[in-house]
Amino acid sequence: MKNKNGYFGEFGGCYVPEALETVLKEVESNFFKYIEDPDFLEELAYYQKQFIGRENPLYFAERLTEKVGGAKIYLKREDLNHTGAHKINNTVGQVLLAKRMGKKRIIAETGAGQHGVATATVCALFGMDCTIYMGEVDTKRQELNVFRMELLGAKVVPVTFGTKTLKDAVDAALIDFVENADDTFYLLGSAVGPHPYPIMVREFQSVIGSEARRQILEVENRLPDYLIAAVGGGSNAIGLFHPFVDDQEVKIIGVEPAGKGLDTTEHAASISLGSVGVLHGFKCYTLQDEDGEPLPVHSIAAGLDYPGVGPEHSYYHQSGRGEYVSITDKEALDAFFTLSKCEGIIPAIESSHAIAHAIKVAKELTKDKIIIVNLSGRGDKDVQQVKEMIS
Ligand SMILES: *Cc1c(COP(=O)(O)O)cnc(C)c1O
């Protein structure tokens, strides 16, 4: 396995206090042990199939392809997973690890609530005690997701210090983790954070790219020319990209949220406009002020507004293996409507960023080229917000 030491070039690492480092070492050694244990992998495969509903299709978007008039566009249908997005791939993997480690209690942070719901879901599945930390501001903005988590048996703790948003929820979860590590596992939601989380989340999400690789070889008998995915923390993107990274002919494009535009302060384009720094215990491209504090971020997509990006993406940007671009709120919204009308698939507003860029790229290519877009989630959760925006 690559990057076992937690570094991707200069990025990644584990910049945390000693007490936390000790706890993370336990997670790390267990992860590396079980990820090569046939028994563990068999159990993971069972729940991927029977609970998540994998494998999901690699769908040829024929009408969209015709409309755009260029490269063939395939959609990796993560929206068809149980709970409607890719996040469940990671929570199933980590909860199985926690179980093997003998932990009884799971904690997690959540911003918009999607990772909280995916975590509460797997805790219900395995009868684990579940506590979700959520900024108080976010609990009010996302009342329905709070109720969903409670329905699933989780306790949602509103965080009332600092800015009362995601950043503070992460801090609260880390404090709990250090204090209760004996029986508690911290289930992190994206390919970010201190080692071993970025590599662990990548491995659990790589099922996306492994399936897509097999599927495209089956229908087209060759690898795709482009892979395109939306990048928040970067988990769905790295999950698609990683199994193709050594195939130099396959171009990799990550799409960041440009929000109201890169010439405004309302975006979350960490690679496009950020600088190198340490955020939440790891080194990456981050949007920071002069004191290294994370800047406020904005995106129409709640799942994309994070002021940093996973270390592996930071490295692919620096090394040139990946290209990182951005799409505005408005462009994402247009793609949301286009895919809905054209294919009968309402995409998550996060995934709509990837669709928007894929349309731009496909237009410039000949019809023999192939693009795979990660349709990271379904858009049911966004319908109300979009309705309010346009009325
Ligand atoms: C959370 C989320 C994202 C962004 O998270 P990554 O870790 O960057 O994948 C993208 N799409 C959907 C549907 C999400 O729920």
Side-chain angles (χ1 to χ4, degrees):
M1 191 186 304
K2 287 185 194 168
N3 323 101
K4 256 186 126 161
N5 64 2
Y7 279 93
F8 305 84
E10 68 172 293
F11 302 103
C14 187
Y15 298 81
V16 298
E18 213 175 301
L20 181 56
E21 196 178 341
T22 311
V23 175
L24 291 172
K25 283 258 185 293
E26 190 202 354
V27 177
E28 181 191 351
S29 60
N30 278 282
F31 170 68
F32 286 128
K33 176 173 136 198
Y34 285 114
I35 201 66
E36 293 184 344
D37 173 6
D39 223 44
F40 177 81
L41 294 175
E42 195 181 313
E43 192 179 18
L44 177 62
Y46 174 86
Y47 287 100
Q48 284 173 339
K49 178 163 194 269
Q50 302 295 343
F51 190 69
I52 300 177
R54 306 199 72 94
E55 75 177 33
N56 57 42
L58 179 69
Y59 179 70
F60 175 42
E62 197 171 346
R63 293 223 324 136
L64 181 64
T65 297
E66 252 169 50
K67 184 180 158 75
V68 173
K72 286 173 102 167
I73 301 172
Y74 282 87
L75 305 175
K76 183 57 178 155
R77 298 291 306 274
E78 294 300 306
D79 62 314
L80 295 178
N81 295 340
H82 176 47
T83 68
H86 68 290
K87 286 194 171 70
I88 194 86
N89 301 326
N90 172 49
T91 57
V92 162
Q94 286 195 47
V95 82
L96 288 172
L97 177 64
K99 200 160 69 85
R100 296 268 168 157
M101 289 170 69
K103 307 294 181 187
K104 304 271 181 278
R105 180 171 174 263
I106 300 287
I107 57 171
E109 82 299 335
T110 197
Q114 289 147 241
H115 173 57
V117 170
T119 302
T121 300
V122 298
C123 288
L125 174 65
F126 291 108
M128 293 267 201
D129 187 281
C130 180
T131 300
I132 306 289
Y133 289 98
M134 191 168 184
E136 193 182 32
V137 172
D138 293 327
T139 59
K140 289 183 181 144
R141 280 197 289 224
Q142 305 285 343
E143 269 178 335
L144 209 55
N145 274 341
V146 173
F147 183 62
R148 270 195 194 101
M149 288 182 258
E150 288 169 352
L151 262 181
L152 292 159
K155 187 166 88 187
V156 179
V157 179
V159 176
T160 55
F161 58 79
T163 56
K164 304 175 189 176
T165 59
L166 178 63
K167 169 183 179 300
D168 311 290
V170 173
D171 291 337
L174 289 173
I175 293 167
D176 182 324
F177 191 30
V178 171
E179 282 174 1
N180 301 298
D182 281 351
D183 70 343
T184 299
F185 185 93
Y186 179 22
L187 206 166
L188 209 149
S190 188
V192 298
H195 182 60
Y197 286 102
I199 188 170
M200 181 157 71
V201 175
R202 175 191 84 194
E203 291 299 304
F204 289 138
Q205 291 293 0
S206 285
V207 65
I208 302 172
S210 306
E211 282 181 9
R213 200 170 199 287
R214 201 164 59 233
Q215 290 168 316
I216 200 72
L217 286 173
E218 205 175 291
V219 288
E220 294 282 356
N221 211 11
R222 71 172 182 93
L223 293 177
D225 299 287
Y226 287 85
L227 301 172
I228 301 181
V231 175
S235 72
N236 85 86
I238 208 67
L240 176 66
F241 298 167
H242 191 71
F244 295 89
V245 158
D246 291 333
D247 305 300
Q248 295 296 334
E249 73 273 27
V250 180
K251 294 185 186 69
I252 283 171
I253 306 182
V255 185
E256 299 195 300
K260 296 187 177 162
L262 292 189
D263 53 348
T264 71
T265 54
E266 293 182 71
H267 59 77
S270 310
I271 291 182
S272 306
L273 292 181
S275 51
V276 177
V278 172
L279 171 75
H280 295 149
F282 70 108
K283 197 183 260 192
C284 65
Y285 284 100
T286 169
L287 297 164
Q288 55 189 337
D289 67 15
E290 284 156 14
D291 302 322
E293 288 299 314
L295 288 168
V297 284
H298 160 85
S299 168
I300 187 176
L304 298 182
D305 62 355
Y306 183 65
V309 62
E312 196 159 0
H313 292 294
S314 299
Y315 176 63
Y316 292 155
H317 169 68
Q318 195 184 58
S319 69
R321 176 64 187 92
E323 183 189 351
Y324 291 84
V325 300
S326 63
I327 283 290
T328 64
D329 289 353
K330 167 90 180 40
E331 291 172 315
L333 199 57
D334 288 346
F336 177 89
F337 290 123
T338 300
L339 194 72
S340 299
K341 291 226 170 70
C342 198
E343 292 287 350
I345 299 169
I346 302 176
I349 197 75
E350 288 83 1
S351 323
S352 302
H353 287 71
I355 308 281
H357 190 69
I359 292 173
K360 282 190 191 176
V361 173
K363 254 186 205 145
E364 303 300 320
L365 296 172
T366 49
K367 291 182 178 177
D368 58 330
K369 298 289 191 229
I370 298 170
I371 298 176
I372 295 179
V373 185
N374 203 1
L375 189 57
S376 54
R378 65 178 181 228
D380 304 41
K381 66 181 180 57
D382 302 313
V383 168
Q384 180 84 34
Q385 183 195 352
V386 170
K387 177 167 180 274
E388 281 162 19
M389 270 175 172
I390 60 170
S391 55

